[in-house]
Amino acid sequence: SGEETTSLKDYVSRMDENQQGIYYITGESRKAVETSPFLERLKKRGFECLFLVDPIDEYAVQQLKEYDGKKLVSCTKEGMKIDETEEEKKAFEEEKAKTENLCKLIKEVLDDKVEKVIVSQRIVDSPCCLVTGEYGWSANMERIMRAQALRDNSAMGYMSSKKTMEINAMHPIIKSLREKSDADKSDKTVKDLIWLLYDTSLLTSGFSLEEPTQFAGRIHRLIKLGLSIEDDDDDAEIADLDDLPPLDADEEDDASKME
């Protein structure tokens, strides 16, 4: 329920026989973790998850790898596995094969923002999320370390999270994006939507926005679209310059008119 405290001993006594380990999630507050997209598959299966919301918990789980022969598994990191039925596995593999090209395109667009893009069964209701490496910092640990006044900047470099984007191939947004990208890889709308998915995944996965101004610009464009407002030249500052057409011809026409 998230309201009561429990012990690892009690947790293990209640574990489902198909459960791979002791699932836990770390975060800034109980409110932040209980609505996390990382819990969607666990909730669907009825598996319990420990909410670790004290800063000291991050340090504790780095040392406590297992309890009573059961491995502690972070919901926000790579390596979380949940047993699936044969039907579920078959449906997943089919959708995964269809989404391979979209994964490659997302990686091309985001470039070094993510280490890789894969299709995942971790999420159910969300289109995507960002997970960290099994042995690196979690998003919450990164937040704690950034807040340290005497932090070691060299450690920040090699311990900071290497993000993997996991997408839900069953989600309507991903299916629609897949169709759009298959029709035209260079579509500006597709690239904008990929960046929006990445930015929203940063927020829902516990990270801080790297470029809030650009994120706001994309949201403003969506609002204009919803209100049927025609785009104007003001958005040129936010748009990616690489995607703009060459202006040489237009400039020559303007010059001739002025003469």
Side-chain angles (χ1 to χ4, degrees), residues 25-79:
I25 183 170
T26 57
E28 189 173 1
S29 65
R30 184 172 62 84
K31 190 173 181 180
V33 297
E34 66 186 0
T35 56
S36 171
F38 297 115
L39 302 181
E40 291 173 359
R41 179 67 60 179
L42 296 181
K43 286 177 180 177
K44 186 178 179 182
R45 283 307 180 92
F47 293 162
E48 279 189 59
C49 182
L50 297 173
F51 294 168
L52 307 181
V53 294
D54 287 325
I56 193 66
D57 291 335
E58 279 285 0
Y59 297 93
V61 292
Q62 288 178 28
Q63 305 303 320
L64 183 64
K65 299 297 183 184
E66 63 175 52
Y67 174 82
D68 195 22
K70 308 290 183 183
K71 185 179 178 183
L72 269 72
V73 181
S74 172
C75 298
T76 67
K77 293 186 176 184
E78 292 178 324

Side-chain angles (χ1 to χ4, degrees), residues 94-211:
E94 287 176 359
E95 291 297 324
K96 183 179 178 181
K98 293 178 187 175
T99 318
E100 280 184 4
N101 288 335
L102 178 61
C103 288
K104 290 176 183 176
L105 178 62
I106 293 173
K107 173 58 181 166
E108 285 175 16
V109 172
L110 298 180
D111 197 21
D112 60 353
K113 297 290 185 185
V114 293
E115 191 174 28
K116 56 186 173 181
V117 181
I118 61 172
V119 179
S120 167
Q121 292 174 293
R122 186 189 304 258
I123 42 181
V124 178
D125 303 316
S126 301
C128 53
C129 65
L130 291 169
V131 303
T132 55
E134 192 173 352
Y135 303 105
W137 285 343
S138 65
N140 189 53
M141 187 63 180
E142 190 172 306
R143 178 188 64 81
I144 292 170
M145 294 306 294
R146 286 186 188 280
Q148 300 288 335
L150 301 175
R151 65 177 180 268
D152 181 359
N153 287 323
S154 62
M156 291 291 292
Y158 64 84
M159 287 300 291
S160 59
S161 315
K162 288 180 173 59
K163 304 176 188 70
T164 295
M165 191 175 202
E166 294 191 357
I167 61 176
N168 177 8
M170 309 287 190
H171 198 280
I173 289 177
I174 298 299
K175 286 183 177 181
S176 181
L177 194 61
R178 186 173 67 201
E179 291 169 7
K180 273 185 169 292
S181 65
D182 287 342
D184 183 8
K185 280 187 178 181
S186 59
D187 188 344
K188 178 70 168 67
T189 305
V190 171
K191 291 182 179 180
D192 253 1
L193 291 172
I194 288 171
W195 279 110
L196 268 176
L197 285 173
Y198 172 73
D199 286 337
T200 51
S201 294
L202 279 175
L203 294 173
T204 57
S205 302
F207 294 97
S208 300
L209 276 179
E210 297 165 356
E211 298 169 334

Side-chain angles (χ1 to χ4, degrees), residues 236-252:
E237 295 176 7
I238 301 161
D240 187 347
L241 295 177
D242 292 335
D243 294 324
L244 294 176
L247 300 176
D248 296 344
D250 295 336
E251 287 173 356
E252 289 174 6

Side-chain angles (χ1 to χ4, degrees), residues 220-235:
H220 293 159
R221 283 209 292 278
L222 280 180
I223 293 171
K224 284 184 177 182
L225 191 64
L227 296 174
S228 301
I229 300 172
E230 289 187 11
D231 219 351
D232 53 32
D233 295 334
D234 293 339
D235 287 337

